[in-house]
Amino acid sequence: MSRFEHQIAADAVARETCAAELAKVLDGFEALRFGDGGIAYGGLLDGRADGGELRLLAEPHAAAGGRYRYTDPGTPGTPGTPGEPVDSAAPAARTAAFAADFTLDSWDRAGTTSVRFAASETAAPADGAEGSGSVVLRRGAGRCTVEVSGEYRGGGPRSALLAASVSATADACRWWSRAEGAAGAQGGDAPVVVRLRHRYAVAVVRVSPAPDPAPGPAGPRWLLTVRTDVRGRSWARPVLAVVLLLGRSRLRRLYARALDEMATAGAQQPAAE
């Protein structure tokens, strides 16, 4: 197993701000209204302005048992250049279409909200990718966690090589305890843990915050420690072990550079309204 670790700085976000943003999303979803054909309008969506369409397949809305389907017909283009104008000289036009079904297993804003989904994308007539999984939000006295699990399978003849599964947990209370430097908050696992599993490799990413003693231009900052453990599986285990051993120094530099670039790009994003 090989371990990569790097620390980046990020602007701190107030606990109240995150709670308000979450409430805005939940409020927007509950505010959706469905007209002719079960198509949503208002709230998070406004007709088909985004090119996609959300339909209510089974009532009740915003309650356990509600079922929805989101579809996006995609944009015509030439093979290999989705989104570009169709070239009449090209052998065939290509449309990237996306569809996803959602089922609410529970909807309790003060307790547990659980959503199952199944999605598919078609990038060409013969190719397609699909994924499925669930998102569970648990809230209560002194608790706010998010659990995500899913499986992905790419399209085309090599779809088996593109198959992977992911599971992730985020504990908001543990996050802010560490981010605020609360005494005794550093014990146990990281507040954010992501596990990626492929037939030939497994990676576990852990993210943990700490208060940055040097505030940035925008105010308080966090120091985020990102640790990734990687190991091979099956016959790829010894091969990956050799690659990681021989290229360890270069991989560490690439790992650190990638995280630094992500932190820089995130700092340049405009603030949400």
Side-chain angles (χ1 to χ4, degrees), residues 197-226:
R197 191 178 186 89
H198 185 270
R199 64 188 301 180
Y200 296 133
V202 175
V204 181
V205 183
R206 293 177 169 86
V207 184
S208 185
D212 188 343
R221 297 194 305 178
W222 293 330
L223 292 177
L224 306 181
T225 300
V226 185

mmCIF file of all heavy atoms in Angstrom, residues 197-226:
data_model
loop_
_atom_site.group_PDB
_atom_site.id
_atom_site.type_symbol
_atom_site.label_atom_id
_atom_site.label_comp_id
_atom_site.label_asym_id
_atom_site.label_seq_id
_atom_site.Cartn_x
_atom_site.Cartn_y
_atom_site.Cartn_z
ATOM 1 N N ARG A 197 -13.329 1.832 -5.402
ATOM 2 C CA ARG A 197 -12.962 0.432 -5.583
ATOM 3 C C ARG A 197 -13.090 0.037 -7.059
ATOM 4 O O ARG A 197 -14.174 0.113 -7.629
ATOM 5 C CB ARG A 197 -13.860 -0.456 -4.716
ATOM 6 C CG ARG A 197 -13.408 -1.910 -4.617
ATOM 7 C CD ARG A 197 -14.355 -2.677 -3.693
ATOM 8 N NE ARG A 197 -13.910 -4.020 -3.440
ATOM 9 C CZ ARG A 197 -13.104 -4.375 -2.445
ATOM 10 N NH1 ARG A 197 -12.665 -3.444 -1.611
ATOM 11 N NH2 ARG A 197 -12.731 -5.625 -2.281
ATOM 12 N N HIS A 198 -11.993 -0.372 -7.636
ATOM 13 C CA HIS A 198 -11.935 -0.859 -9.015
ATOM 14 C C HIS A 198 -11.495 -2.319 -8.958
ATOM 15 O O HIS A 198 -10.951 -2.777 -7.940
ATOM 16 C CB HIS A 198 -10.942 -0.006 -9.822
ATOM 17 C CG HIS A 198 -10.886 -0.329 -11.272
ATOM 18 N ND1 HIS A 198 -10.013 -1.270 -11.794
ATOM 19 C CD2 HIS A 198 -11.582 0.153 -12.321
ATOM 20 C CE1 HIS A 198 -10.182 -1.361 -13.091
ATOM 21 N NE2 HIS A 198 -11.125 -0.507 -13.449
ATOM 22 N N ARG A 199 -11.721 -3.059 -10.026
ATOM 23 C CA ARG A 199 -11.350 -4.467 -10.007
ATOM 24 C C ARG A 199 -9.851 -4.658 -9.825
ATOM 25 O O ARG A 199 -9.401 -5.726 -9.374
ATOM 26 C CB ARG A 199 -11.812 -5.150 -11.298
ATOM 27 C CG ARG A 199 -11.149 -4.643 -12.555
ATOM 28 C CD ARG A 199 -11.780 -5.215 -13.803
ATOM 29 N NE ARG A 199 -11.727 -6.667 -13.853
ATOM 30 C CZ ARG A 199 -12.205 -7.405 -14.842
ATOM 31 N NH1 ARG A 199 -12.819 -6.806 -15.868
ATOM 32 N NH2 ARG A 199 -12.117 -8.709 -14.823
ATOM 33 N N TYR A 200 -9.048 -3.621 -10.149
ATOM 34 C CA TYR A 200 -7.605 -3.762 -10.048
ATOM 35 C C TYR A 200 -6.965 -2.847 -9.011
ATOM 36 O O TYR A 200 -5.750 -2.891 -8.834
ATOM 37 C CB TYR A 200 -6.954 -3.489 -11.406
ATOM 38 C CG TYR A 200 -7.350 -4.486 -12.470
ATOM 39 C CD1 TYR A 200 -7.747 -4.055 -13.734
ATOM 40 C CD2 TYR A 200 -7.351 -5.856 -12.212
ATOM 41 C CE1 TYR A 200 -8.124 -4.967 -14.710
ATOM 42 C CE2 TYR A 200 -7.735 -6.775 -13.174
ATOM 43 C CZ TYR A 200 -8.125 -6.320 -14.426
ATOM 44 O OH TYR A 200 -8.502 -7.225 -15.381
ATOM 45 N N ALA A 201 -7.731 -2.011 -8.346
ATOM 46 C CA ALA A 201 -7.140 -1.099 -7.369
ATOM 47 C C ALA A 201 -8.200 -0.585 -6.406
ATOM 48 O O ALA A 201 -9.400 -0.554 -6.720
ATOM 49 C CB ALA A 201 -6.460 0.075 -8.070
ATOM 50 N N VAL A 202 -7.734 -0.177 -5.233
ATOM 51 C CA VAL A 202 -8.581 0.423 -4.212
ATOM 52 C C VAL A 202 -7.891 1.689 -3.708
ATOM 53 O O VAL A 202 -6.678 1.694 -3.483
ATOM 54 C CB VAL A 202 -8.815 -0.533 -3.028
ATOM 55 C CG1 VAL A 202 -9.594 0.166 -1.922
ATOM 56 C CG2 VAL A 202 -9.553 -1.783 -3.477
ATOM 57 N N ALA A 203 -8.658 2.757 -3.569
ATOM 58 C CA ALA A 203 -8.117 4.013 -3.048
ATOM 59 C C ALA A 203 -9.044 4.536 -1.956
ATOM 60 O O ALA A 203 -10.271 4.491 -2.101
ATOM 61 C CB ALA A 203 -7.968 5.053 -4.156
ATOM 62 N N VAL A 204 -8.466 5.019 -0.876
ATOM 63 C CA VAL A 204 -9.223 5.615 0.218
ATOM 64 C C VAL A 204 -8.689 7.021 0.444
ATOM 65 O O VAL A 204 -7.495 7.209 0.689
ATOM 66 C CB VAL A 204 -9.100 4.792 1.517
ATOM 67 C CG1 VAL A 204 -9.934 5.435 2.620
ATOM 68 C CG2 VAL A 204 -9.545 3.345 1.288
ATOM 69 N N VAL A 205 -9.572 8.004 0.332
ATOM 70 C CA VAL A 205 -9.200 9.406 0.491
ATOM 71 C C VAL A 205 -9.829 9.928 1.782
ATOM 72 O O VAL A 205 -11.034 9.780 2.000
ATOM 73 C CB VAL A 205 -9.670 10.262 -0.703
ATOM 74 C CG1 VAL A 205 -9.219 11.704 -0.549
ATOM 75 C CG2 VAL A 205 -9.156 9.673 -2.019
ATOM 76 N N ARG A 206 -9.009 10.553 2.612
ATOM 77 C CA ARG A 206 -9.479 11.128 3.863
ATOM 78 C C ARG A 206 -9.141 12.613 3.896
ATOM 79 O O ARG A 206 -8.006 12.992 3.586
ATOM 80 C CB ARG A 206 -8.855 10.412 5.062
ATOM 81 C CG ARG A 206 -9.303 8.964 5.223
ATOM 82 C CD ARG A 206 -8.592 8.298 6.387
ATOM 83 N NE ARG A 206 -9.182 7.004 6.715
ATOM 84 C CZ ARG A 206 -8.845 5.867 6.120
ATOM 85 N NH1 ARG A 206 -7.910 5.874 5.173
ATOM 86 N NH2 ARG A 206 -9.434 4.732 6.466
ATOM 87 N N VAL A 207 -10.120 13.417 4.282
ATOM 88 C CA VAL A 207 -9.933 14.870 4.342
ATOM 89 C C VAL A 207 -10.279 15.347 5.744
ATOM 90 O O VAL A 207 -11.367 15.039 6.266
ATOM 91 C CB VAL A 207 -10.816 15.600 3.316
ATOM 92 C CG1 VAL A 207 -10.516 17.100 3.328
ATOM 93 C CG2 VAL A 207 -10.624 15.022 1.915
ATOM 94 N N SER A 208 -9.369 16.088 6.338
ATOM 95 C CA SER A 208 -9.588 16.580 7.702
ATOM 96 C C SER A 208 -9.135 18.039 7.798
ATOM 97 O O SER A 208 -8.063 18.390 7.297
ATOM 98 C CB SER A 208 -8.811 15.725 8.701
ATOM 99 O OG SER A 208 -9.104 16.118 10.024
ATOM 100 N N PRO A 209 -9.944 18.907 8.428
ATOM 101 C CA PRO A 209 -9.573 20.323 8.535
ATOM 102 C C PRO A 209 -8.943 20.665 9.885
ATOM 103 O O PRO A 209 -9.095 19.936 10.880
ATOM 104 C CB PRO A 209 -10.925 21.016 8.394
ATOM 105 C CG PRO A 209 -11.853 20.074 9.119
ATOM 106 C CD PRO A 209 -11.329 18.679 8.889
ATOM 107 N N ALA A 210 -8.252 21.774 9.905
ATOM 108 C CA ALA A 210 -7.730 22.354 11.142
ATOM 109 C C ALA A 210 -7.697 23.857 10.939
ATOM 110 O O ALA A 210 -7.575 24.331 9.801
ATOM 111 C CB ALA A 210 -6.333 21.821 11.458
ATOM 112 N N PRO A 211 -7.829 24.651 11.994
ATOM 113 C CA PRO A 211 -7.786 26.108 11.820
ATOM 114 C C PRO A 211 -6.409 26.563 11.376
ATOM 115 O O PRO A 211 -5.389 26.080 11.862
ATOM 116 C CB PRO A 211 -8.144 26.640 13.220
ATOM 117 C CG PRO A 211 -7.829 25.515 14.159
ATOM 118 C CD PRO A 211 -8.069 24.252 13.394
ATOM 119 N N ASP A 212 -6.371 27.478 10.412
ATOM 120 C CA ASP A 212 -5.115 28.044 9.936
ATOM 121 C C ASP A 212 -4.773 29.234 10.825
ATOM 122 O O ASP A 212 -5.559 30.183 10.930
ATOM 123 C CB ASP A 212 -5.272 28.488 8.475
ATOM 124 C CG ASP A 212 -3.943 28.911 7.859
ATOM 125 O OD1 ASP A 212 -2.986 29.172 8.614
ATOM 126 O OD2 ASP A 212 -3.867 28.980 6.621
ATOM 127 N N PRO A 213 -3.618 29.209 11.495
ATOM 128 C CA PRO A 213 -3.270 30.331 12.382
ATOM 129 C C PRO A 213 -3.042 31.642 11.638
ATOM 130 O O PRO A 213 -3.081 32.708 12.245
ATOM 131 C CB PRO A 213 -1.976 29.855 13.063
ATOM 132 C CG PRO A 213 -1.421 28.810 12.155
ATOM 133 C CD PRO A 213 -2.596 28.153 11.508
ATOM 134 N N ALA A 214 -2.805 31.562 10.322
ATOM 135 C CA ALA A 214 -2.583 32.780 9.528
ATOM 136 C C ALA A 214 -3.796 33.020 8.641
ATOM 137 O O ALA A 214 -3.980 32.329 7.639
ATOM 138 C CB ALA A 214 -1.332 32.627 8.670
ATOM 139 N N PRO A 215 -4.661 33.969 8.983
ATOM 140 C CA PRO A 215 -5.845 34.221 8.158
ATOM 141 C C PRO A 215 -5.476 34.732 6.782
ATOM 142 O O PRO A 215 -4.444 35.386 6.608
ATOM 143 C CB PRO A 215 -6.618 35.282 8.961
ATOM 144 C CG PRO A 215 -5.628 35.879 9.890
ATOM 145 C CD PRO A 215 -4.590 34.842 10.147
ATOM 146 N N GLY A 216 -6.327 34.417 5.798
ATOM 147 C CA GLY A 216 -6.088 34.860 4.437
ATOM 148 C C GLY A 216 -6.722 36.207 4.167
ATOM 149 O O GLY A 216 -7.303 36.833 5.066
ATOM 150 N N PRO A 217 -6.634 36.688 2.914
ATOM 151 C CA PRO A 217 -7.200 37.995 2.558
ATOM 152 C C PRO A 217 -8.694 38.082 2.827
ATOM 153 O O PRO A 217 -9.218 39.166 3.114
ATOM 154 C CB PRO A 217 -6.898 38.112 1.060
ATOM 155 C CG PRO A 217 -5.755 37.181 0.818
ATOM 156 C CD PRO A 217 -5.944 36.058 1.775
ATOM 157 N N ALA A 218 -9.406 36.941 2.714
ATOM 158 C CA ALA A 218 -10.859 36.945 2.895
ATOM 159 C C ALA A 218 -11.278 36.635 4.321
ATOM 160 O O ALA A 218 -12.478 36.556 4.613
ATOM 161 C CB ALA A 218 -11.509 35.946 1.937
ATOM 162 N N GLY A 219 -10.285 36.430 5.211
ATOM 163 C CA GLY A 219 -10.637 36.129 6.592
ATOM 164 C C GLY A 219 -10.085 34.782 7.028
ATOM 165 O O GLY A 219 -9.073 34.317 6.498
ATOM 166 N N PRO A 220 -10.736 34.123 8.004
ATOM 167 C CA PRO A 220 -10.233 32.849 8.532
ATOM 168 C C PRO A 220 -10.097 31.793 7.434
ATOM 169 O O PRO A 220 -10.859 31.773 6.467
ATOM 170 C CB PRO A 220 -11.297 32.448 9.559
ATOM 171 C CG PRO A 220 -11.982 33.723 9.919
ATOM 172 C CD PRO A 220 -11.967 34.563 8.685
ATOM 173 N N ARG A 221 -9.119 30.915 7.621
ATOM 174 C CA ARG A 221 -8.904 29.843 6.657
ATOM 175 C C ARG A 221 -8.786 28.512 7.384
ATOM 176 O O ARG A 221 -8.558 28.450 8.591
ATOM 177 C CB ARG A 221 -7.638 30.094 5.835
ATOM 178 C CG ARG A 221 -7.672 31.339 4.988
ATOM 179 C CD ARG A 221 -6.555 31.328 3.958
ATOM 180 N NE ARG A 221 -5.245 31.153 4.575
ATOM 181 C CZ ARG A 221 -4.102 31.063 3.881
ATOM 182 N NH1 ARG A 221 -4.138 31.106 2.566
ATOM 183 N NH2 ARG A 221 -2.947 30.925 4.487
ATOM 184 N N TRP A 222 -8.959 27.463 6.604
ATOM 185 C CA TRP A 222 -8.733 26.103 7.081
ATOM 186 C C TRP A 222 -7.472 25.549 6.447
ATOM 187 O O TRP A 222 -7.131 25.874 5.312
ATOM 188 C CB TRP A 222 -9.894 25.182 6.691
ATOM 189 C CG TRP A 222 -11.191 25.486 7.366
ATOM 190 C CD1 TRP A 222 -11.382 26.029 8.597
ATOM 191 C CD2 TRP A 222 -12.496 25.232 6.842
ATOM 192 N NE1 TRP A 222 -12.723 26.153 8.875
ATOM 193 C CE2 TRP A 222 -13.427 25.666 7.817
ATOM 194 C CE3 TRP A 222 -12.976 24.692 5.651
ATOM 195 C CZ2 TRP A 222 -14.810 25.560 7.635
ATOM 196 C CZ3 TRP A 222 -14.343 24.589 5.459
ATOM 197 C CH2 TRP A 222 -15.248 25.010 6.442
ATOM 198 N N LEU A 223 -6.793 24.680 7.164
ATOM 199 C CA LEU A 223 -5.737 23.848 6.609
ATOM 200 C C LEU A 223 -6.324 22.451 6.429
ATOM 201 O O LEU A 223 -6.688 21.804 7.409
ATOM 202 C CB LEU A 223 -4.519 23.816 7.538
ATOM 203 C CG LEU A 223 -3.746 25.132 7.684
ATOM 204 C CD1 LEU A 223 -2.611 24.968 8.690
ATOM 205 C CD2 LEU A 223 -3.203 25.591 6.337
ATOM 206 N N LEU A 224 -6.453 22.028 5.177
ATOM 207 C CA LEU A 224 -7.059 20.738 4.874
ATOM 208 C C LEU A 224 -5.973 19.718 4.591
ATOM 209 O O LEU A 224 -5.160 19.889 3.676
ATOM 210 C CB LEU A 224 -7.987 20.850 3.664
ATOM 211 C CG LEU A 224 -9.076 21.919 3.735
ATOM 212 C CD1 LEU A 224 -9.922 21.886 2.463
ATOM 213 C CD2 LEU A 224 -9.957 21.731 4.965
ATOM 214 N N THR A 225 -5.940 18.668 5.386
ATOM 215 C CA THR A 225 -5.018 17.566 5.157
ATOM 216 C C THR A 225 -5.728 16.505 4.339
ATOM 217 O O THR A 225 -6.774 15.984 4.759
ATOM 218 C CB THR A 225 -4.525 16.965 6.482
ATOM 219 O OG1 THR A 225 -3.849 17.977 7.234
ATOM 220 C CG2 THR A 225 -3.584 15.802 6.235
ATOM 221 N N VAL A 226 -5.192 16.206 3.162
ATOM 222 C CA VAL A 226 -5.785 15.212 2.260
ATOM 223 C C VAL A 226 -4.833 14.027 2.187
ATOM 224 O O VAL A 226 -3.694 14.159 1.714
ATOM 225 C CB VAL A 226 -6.016 15.796 0.851
ATOM 226 C CG1 VAL A 226 -6.740 14.771 -0.026
ATOM 227 C CG2 VAL A 226 -6.814 17.097 0.935
#
